[in-house]
Amino acid sequence: MSHPPSPFWSIPASELLRQLDTTEHGLSEEEAEKRLLTHGPNALRPKKKTDTLTIFLFQFKSPIILILLCAAVLSFFLGDSTDALIISGIVLISGLLSFWQERGAIDATEKLLAIVQIKASVIRDGGEREIPLEEVVPGDVVVLNAGDMIPGDCIILESKDLFVDEATLTGETYPQEKMAGPLPSETPLNHRLNALFLGTHVVSGDGYAVVVNTGITTEFGLVSERLRIRPPENEFEHGVRRFGYLLMEITLLMVIAIFAFNVFLRRTVLDSFLFALALAVGLIPQLLPAIISVNLAHGAQRMAQKKVIVKRLASIENFGSMNVLCSDKTGTLTEGLVHVNSFLGTEGEVKEKVLFYAYLNSCYETGFTNPIDEAIRTHRVFDISGYTKLDEVPYDFIRKRLSILFSDGREHIMVTKGALPEILAICSSSETSKRGVVGIGEMQKTIERHFEEQSDKGLRILGVAYKDMGKDTLISKDMEASMTFLGFLVLFDPPKQGIDKTVRSLKELGVLLKIITGDNRLVAATVGTQVGITTPRMLTGLDLRCMSDEALTRVANDVDIFAEVEPNQKERIIMALRRAGNVVGYMGDGINDASALHSSDVGISVDSAVDVAKEAADIVLLEKDLNVLIEGIHEGRKTFSNTIKYVFMASSANFGNMVSMACASLFLPFLPLLPKQILFTNLLTDFPEMTIASDSVDNESMEKPRRWNISYIRTFMLIFGPLSSLFDFLTFGVLLFILKAGPSEFRTGWFIESVVSASLIVLVMRTRRPFFKSRPSPYLLIATILVVAAALLFPATPLGRIFGFTSIPFLFFAMLGGIVILYVISAEAAKGFFYRRVRY
C-alpha cells in the first residue's frame, strides 16, 4: 500500500480508494490486522507501557535509591560484601512489594477501562461492525452518525446533511457541512468540505468515509506533536506534587547536615554517606506512588461495583473533593422519557394540525437521535404515505430548530419546529382558528401568555411553523424566514421519583447541585423547585452575554440555576465556578457537552452518551442516576481518606524516627542504627501501611469534601513527629542508663521499639476517633500483628545476627511495654488536641 503523493482532499474518491488499496466495502479483517502492525495503534501518543519489566524497573527510578545501590556496590568492592548484599536485598524486596501492588492496580484499571472503550463503526469483510478507536487503520471505511468521533483523517465517500464540529482543530464556532467531491490542493484547512479530521465530531446527519491517516500522521496529531501539550494538572495531582516538594526540602536539609556532622566527628566517609542516604530513604514514604496507585485502583474497583467506571484514576480523589455538581435536568433530574402533553393552536385550543406537522418533521429528520422526536413519533401514528421528503436543514445548537421540505403532490411545504423564541423569530404571520392567517404582531401577547402558563407548570414548549415554498426542491437556513406560526407542541418530562431526597443527600455531603439547561427560565425554575431547590436563584444565557468573566466569578456561587444557556456558555460557567474556589463536577451526555466536561475538575458522563461526551469524561456512569453518583462520591472520599491516612502516618512517623536518629548520631560514639538496619526498619513499618487501601473509613471523614492541604500535613508532621522522637529518647535513656547497652544491644533495642511503636501507632492515627472506637480492616490488623511479632523475634534469629542484632534482656521488653502504652495514650491526647484546634 502506498500513500497518495498529493493532498488527499484533492484526489477523486475512486482514485484515493485505489491508492489506499481498499474499496467502498472496506477491508478484510486479515488485511486490517496487517495494517495495524504496520501503522501502529490509532493514538496521538504511544500507549503507556505496562509490561512487567517496565513496571518493575520503574520502582527504582528514585535518585536516592539509585545512589544507595551505587554506594552498596562501592561498599562491596571495598570489602564489606555482607552489608552491601543486605542493603541491595532490602532495596530489591521493597521494590518487589511496590511492583506487586502496582502491577495489580494496573491490571484492574485496564479491565475497567475496557468497559467504556470508545468505538468506531467500520465495514470489515463486507459487514458493519464496531471496533475500538485505536484499531482503526488507513483504508478502513467508517460509518458516521450524529455524536460519533471522527476516528482519523478521512475523505467523504457519501454524506447526507452531514455537519461536523471542527472547533478543536479550526476554532470555528459553527458546525461545518461536509460533502463528497475533490477540492484544489491549496484549499485551507477550514474549507476542506470533503475531508474529516481526527479530534472532531459529527453534530448531525450521517455518511461514509475512508480513513487516510491515523494517529500522529493526522492533522491533529501533527499539531499535538508540535505543541506537546500536557493535560492540565488536576487538584489531586497538584497536591501530590506540593507534598513531594515539602519532603524533598526536609530530606535535602537533613541529609546534608547529618553527613557533614558525621564526617566532622571523624566517622568514615562511606559509613557516614550510607547512613545519611539510609536516613533519606527512611524519611521518604517511598511506597507513596504504589500506595496511591493501589488506593485508586481499589477505589475504581469498588466504584465499578456501584456502576461507576473511572477512566482517569486521579479523578477519584477529585470526585471525593467535589463540592459543586453541575448537571442538565433532562434524564438526570427528570425521567428522561419525554411525553407529548398537548398540541395547541395560537389561541390555546387543541389543534391536530400542529401534531401532524410535528409528526412529519420528526419522521423524516436524519440528525441525531433525541427523545423529543421519539416522543412525537410514538404519541400517535399518522398515514404519511402521500408525503415525500425533498430536503432538510438539520437541527443545530445555534439555530435551535429543524426544517424539513415536503411535497404532498400539490405543494412544497417547509415545516420547522424548535425552541419557541427561535421559531417566533422567523415568523411574520400566525395561523388562527377564527380569523385565518394574521400578522404575528397581533398574536404576540396571546402566544407569550400561553407560553408562560404552560412553562409555569414545568412543561416544555416547542413552536411549529410552516411555509409554502412554491416549486423549490432545496432549502437552506436563509429560507427560514417569513414563516407562519402554527402553534405549540407541549411536552413533559416528570422529575424522577425521590430526586428531592437525592438532592438533599448531596447537600448533606457538602455538594451543591447547580442546574445548567437550555430550557426557558420558567420551566427551569419549576423543575428546580420540584427537585428541592427552594427559591432558586437564576441567571439566563442573556444575562451571561452581558456579564464579564470577573463579574460571573463573583456571582457564580450564589446561582442555583443557569437557564436558556447556549452550549458555548457552559464551559464559561464551569470555569467561573472553579475560579471561585470550587472543585467542580459536570455531568453531561450530549454532543454540546464536550467542552464543559473537559474544563471541569471531574467530567461525568453515562455509558449511553454520545462518543464525544464519553471520551471527554473522567468518570462514566453505567446508569444515568444521581443516586449512583452519590455512591461514587462516597467511594471517592473513602479513597482520598485512606491516601491521606498513609501520608499522615508515614510522613510523621518517618520524620520522628529520622529526627531521633539524627540527634542520636550527634552524641553517641557509634551510629545509632547501621544503614542496613535503617532500611530493614523502614521495610517492616511499610507492611501495615500497604494494606491501608482496604481500611474502613469513619463516617465523619466522609461527611464533607476534603482537599489536599499542605499546611495541614506539615502541622500534623511537626506535632506527631517530635512526639514520636520524645519516646525514642525515652527508649535511649532506658537502653543507655538502665541497661548500660553497648552498640549492638542499643541498636537491637531501638529497632524493636521503633518497629513496634510505629506499627501500633498506625491503629491510632488511622482514625479521628479513640482507636478502640474505630475498627480497622482485617488486613491492616493482621499485618500489624505480624510485623510486631517479627520485630520481637527477628533479633534472636541467625538472620538477625547477620543484620547486627543481638539478644536483649527481658527487662527491656517490660519497659518497652510501658513506653508503647505511654506513647499510645500521648498520641490519643495529641490527636484530640490536633483535630479540635487545627482546621482542615
Side-chain angles (χ1 to χ4, degrees):
M1 188 195 77
S2 60
H3 281 290
S6 303
F8 67 86
W9 57 88
S10 66
I11 302 172
S14 57
E15 173 62 17
L16 190 64
L17 288 170
R18 187 188 66 77
Q19 292 185 15
L20 290 168
D21 195 17
T22 188
T23 70
E24 292 181 353
H25 303 295
L27 300 170
S28 66
E29 281 293 344
E30 184 181 357
E31 177 61 23
E33 287 176 10
K34 290 178 184 176
R35 296 190 185 193
L36 187 60
L37 290 173
T38 303
H39 296 277
N42 180 25
L44 294 182
R45 55 184 63 87
K47 193 173 181 180
K48 187 178 178 182
K49 287 186 178 180
T50 56
D51 61 275
T52 300
L53 181 60
T54 303
I55 299 168
F56 177 70
L57 294 176
F58 187 78
Q59 310 309 317
F60 304 96
K61 70 169 188 171
S62 164
I64 292 177
I65 295 293
L66 293 175
I67 293 171
L68 192 61
L69 288 172
C70 291
V73 172
L74 180 61
S75 180
F76 180 83
F77 283 109
L78 291 176
D80 194 355
S81 56
T82 304
D83 279 8
L85 289 172
I86 289 173
I87 290 170
S88 301
I90 292 172
V91 171
L92 179 63
I93 291 169
S94 180
L96 282 170
L97 289 172
S98 184
F99 157 76
W100 172 66
Q101 294 268 41
E102 195 162 341
R103 174 76 266 179
I106 289 171
D107 288 344
T109 303
E110 287 179 348
K111 287 177 184 175
L112 293 176
L113 288 178
I115 297 174
V116 291
Q117 199 170 37
I118 303 299
K119 296 188 176 180
S121 293
V122 299
I123 298 176
R124 295 266 178 95
D125 291 325
E128 185 178 334
R129 56 167 297 192
E130 286 194 338
I131 63 170
L133 205 67
E134 292 80 7
E135 294 179 14
V136 173
V137 295
D140 261 326
V141 173
V142 295
V143 183
L144 299 169
N145 292 288
D148 288 348
M149 294 186 66
I150 305 297
D153 286 359
C154 313
I155 201 76
I156 293 175
L157 300 176
E158 181 185 323
S159 68
K160 187 177 184 182
D161 301 315
L162 187 66
F163 283 77
V164 176
D165 184 341
E166 298 184 319
T168 53
L169 195 61
T170 66
E172 294 288 339
T173 304
Y174 297 97
Q176 178 77 268
E177 186 172 10
K178 298 287 186 172
M179 56 195 73
L183 294 168
S185 58
E186 65 274 9
T187 304
L189 182 67
N190 59 341
H191 288 105
R192 294 173 196 166
L193 304 183
N194 64 340
L196 304 169
F197 300 101
L198 181 72
T200 64
H201 63 273
V202 180
V203 174
S204 60
D206 52 58
Y208 293 87
V210 62
V211 178
V212 181
N213 296 316
T214 57
I216 60 171
T217 62
T218 61
E219 290 287 343
F220 204 80
L222 294 173
V223 171
S224 69
E225 280 295 297
R226 287 196 299 269
L227 298 181
R228 286 285 180 182
I229 299 172
R230 176 182 168 82
E233 188 177 62
N234 66 29
E235 173 75 19
F236 172 68
E237 292 163 334
H238 179 63
V240 172
R241 180 171 57 81
R242 290 180 62 211
F243 177 61
Y245 287 156
L246 173 65
L247 289 179
M248 187 171 64
E249 291 166 8
I250 295 171
T251 303
L252 283 174
L253 287 172
M254 186 170 287
V255 167
I256 293 169
I258 297 304
F259 177 66
F261 273 113
N262 277 279
V263 172
F264 176 74
L265 294 172
R266 300 184 183 279
R267 290 171 183 154
T268 63
V269 172
L270 181 59
D271 281 348
S272 299
F273 184 56
L274 280 171
F275 180 71
L277 284 178
L279 280 178
V281 173
L283 178 61
I284 295 171
Q286 58 191 10
L287 286 183
L288 180 61
I291 293 293
I292 289 175
S293 296
V294 172
N295 265 334
L296 295 179
H298 277 225
Q301 287 175 302
R302 289 194 302 265
M303 289 169 77
Q305 293 169 2
K306 305 289 176 64
K307 300 184 180 180
V308 179
I309 304 299
V310 180
K311 288 180 59 190
R312 188 181 178 194
L313 284 182
S315 65
I316 294 178
E317 308 281 5
N318 284 345
F319 206 22
S321 302
M322 178 177 69
N323 68 308
V324 170
L325 173 65
C326 298
S327 174
D328 191 4
K329 64 178 187 60
T330 305
T332 306
L333 306 177
T334 63
E335 292 290 350
L337 299 173
V338 181
H339 304 276
V340 175
N341 183 68
S342 57
F343 28 92
L344 309 175
T346 52
E347 297 164 307
E349 77 284 9
V350 174
K351 193 163 188 171
E352 290 281 333
K353 187 177 179 182
V354 173
L355 181 61
F356 179 66
Y357 271 25
Y359 182 83
L360 278 171
N361 181 282
S362 294
C363 281
Y364 285 116
E365 68 91 19
T366 57
F368 55 91
T369 304
N370 67 84
I372 291 175
D373 287 313
E374 183 63 24
I376 294 168
R377 288 192 292 264
T378 56
H379 181 72
R380 188 186 303 176
V381 177
F382 292 91
D383 179 9
I384 56 173
S385 56
Y387 289 81
T388 304
K389 177 184 173 183
L390 301 176
D391 199 14
E392 175 179 6
V393 181
Y395 180 91
D396 64 59
F397 295 99
I398 306 301
R399 291 164 39 251
K400 295 184 180 178
R401 51 183 181 256
L402 163 70
S403 294
I404 308 282
L405 179 63
F406 303 95
S407 170
D408 63 358
R410 302 185 307 277
E411 299 174 300
H412 292 183
I413 301 168
M414 179 170 69
V415 174
T416 303
K417 77 172 189 305
L420 186 67
E422 277 65 30
I423 293 295
L424 290 176
I426 58 173
C427 290
S428 58
S429 58
S430 174
E431 182 180 298
T432 66
S433 299
K434 297 176 182 177
R435 295 184 293 153
V437 176
V438 299
I440 193 70
E442 294 183 38
M443 299 301 298
Q444 191 78 32
K445 289 185 178 179
T446 303
I447 291 170
E448 289 176 359
R449 187 181 78 250
H450 289 304
F451 172 69
E452 290 185 9
E453 285 174 357
Q454 299 298 327
S455 295
D456 278 339
K457 299 174 186 176
L459 300 171
R460 184 172 181 179
I461 316 297
L462 296 186
V464 180
Y466 68 93
K467 181 180 180 181
D468 187 341
M469 300 302 296
K471 299 297 181 182
D472 289 338
T473 56
L474 297 173
I475 55 175
S476 65
K477 296 175 186 178
D478 296 336
M479 294 179 178
E480 293 176 337
S482 302
M483 299 189 72
T484 300
F485 181 75
L486 181 60
F488 312 93
L489 191 67
V490 184
L491 308 164
F492 75 99
D493 180 11
K496 284 185 175 177
Q497 192 167 3
I499 190 64
D500 54 335
K501 293 180 182 176
T502 305
V503 173
R504 277 200 304 274
S505 297
L506 280 171
K507 193 170 183 180
E508 287 166 4
L509 286 169
V511 180
L512 293 178
L513 178 69
K514 295 184 184 292
I515 299 174
I516 302 178
T517 178
D519 281 352
N520 75 74
R521 61 188 183 280
L522 298 172
V523 173
T526 301
V527 172
T529 303
Q530 289 172 340
V531 302
I533 303 176
T534 53
T535 60
R537 294 154 294 184
M538 187 178 301
L539 272 182
T540 66
L542 183 60
D543 297 328
L544 293 175
R545 280 186 231 163
C546 306
M547 191 176 286
S548 68
D549 287 342
E550 292 75 17
L552 179 56
T553 301
R554 285 195 298 271
V555 303
N557 279 340
D558 298 323
V559 178
D560 300 303
I561 299 174
F562 298 87
E564 300 171 14
V565 168
E566 297 169 7
N568 59 353
Q569 292 176 325
K570 292 182 178 182
E571 182 180 8
R572 196 173 160 222
I573 294 167
I574 299 299
M575 294 307 297
L577 287 165
R578 290 186 66 184
R579 285 194 301 270
N582 301 292
V583 178
V584 183
Y586 179 79
M587 189 169 177
D589 62 354
I591 295 168
N592 60 334
D593 288 318
S595 60
L597 287 164
H598 269 301
S599 59
S600 62
D601 290 295
V602 190
I604 306 161
S605 194
V606 290
D607 196 34
S608 58
V610 297
D611 283 350
V612 66
K614 210 156 61 169
E615 173 65 17
D618 300 306
I619 287 172
V620 177
L621 309 183
L622 299 183
E623 288 183 5
K624 194 172 185 179
D625 186 352
L626 283 184
N627 285 313
V628 172
L629 200 63
I630 288 173
E631 294 289 346
I633 290 171
H634 278 292
E635 290 300 338
R637 291 186 183 174
K638 184 174 182 179
T639 303
F640 182 85
S641 182
N642 280 336
T643 303
I644 290 296
K645 277 183 197 178
Y646 174 77
V647 169
F648 280 173
M649 292 186 295
S651 59
S652 58
N654 291 359
F655 177 64
N657 281 342
M658 295 312 109
V659 167
S660 303
M661 211 170 302
C663 293
S665 70
L666 300 181
F667 67 81
L668 288 174
F670 52 85
L671 289 176
L673 279 180
L674 298 175
K676 59 188 174 185
Q677 295 169 341
I678 297 173
L679 294 175
F680 188 57
T681 301
N682 194 47
L683 179 66
L684 282 182
T685 53
D686 273 334
F687 266 100
E689 291 163 354
M690 284 172 60
T691 64
I692 206 72
S694 66
D695 193 24
S696 55
V697 177
D698 300 332
N699 290 334
E700 55 265 31
S701 295
M702 299 198 293
E703 286 175 348
K704 63 179 182 178
R706 293 199 294 161
R707 301 162 74 168
W708 277 88
N709 186 324
I710 299 302
S711 174
Y712 189 78
I713 295 170
R714 186 189 299 114
T715 305
F716 192 96
M717 187 189 300
L718 293 176
I719 289 175
F720 289 95
L723 181 65
S724 170
S725 295
L726 179 64
F727 287 91
D728 286 337
F729 295 142
L730 184 57
T731 304
F732 296 165
V734 169
L735 289 167
L736 292 173
F737 301 117
I738 297 178
L739 299 179
K740 309 295 182 181
S744 295
E745 290 82 5
F746 182 92
R747 290 165 181 157
T748 303
W750 192 26
F751 162 77
I752 294 172
E753 185 272 339
S754 183
V755 173
V756 170
S757 62
S759 300
L760 292 177
I761 210 67
V762 167
L763 303 178
V764 176
M765 297 303 181
R766 56 168 290 278
T767 175
R768 294 188 178 202
R769 301 175 184 175
F771 74 92
F772 50 85
K773 289 187 177 180
S774 176
R775 182 180 297 177
S777 72
Y779 295 110
L780 177 58
L781 189 58
I782 291 168
T784 301
I785 293 170
L786 289 175
V787 168
V788 169
L792 293 172
L793 298 174
F794 182 77
T797 65
L799 190 56
R801 300 284 189 273
I802 296 174
F803 271 79
F805 295 128
T806 187
S807 298
I808 201 158
F810 180 77
L811 178 61
F812 171 74
F813 292 100
M815 292 184 172
L816 172 64
I819 290 170
V820 170
I821 290 170
L822 280 175
Y823 183 23
V824 168
I825 293 170
S826 301
E828 276 291 349
K831 184 175 70 175
F833 171 81
F834 177 80
Y835 285 120
R836 282 194 302 271
R837 298 298 179 88
V838 182
R839 295 179 61 83
Y840 196 149

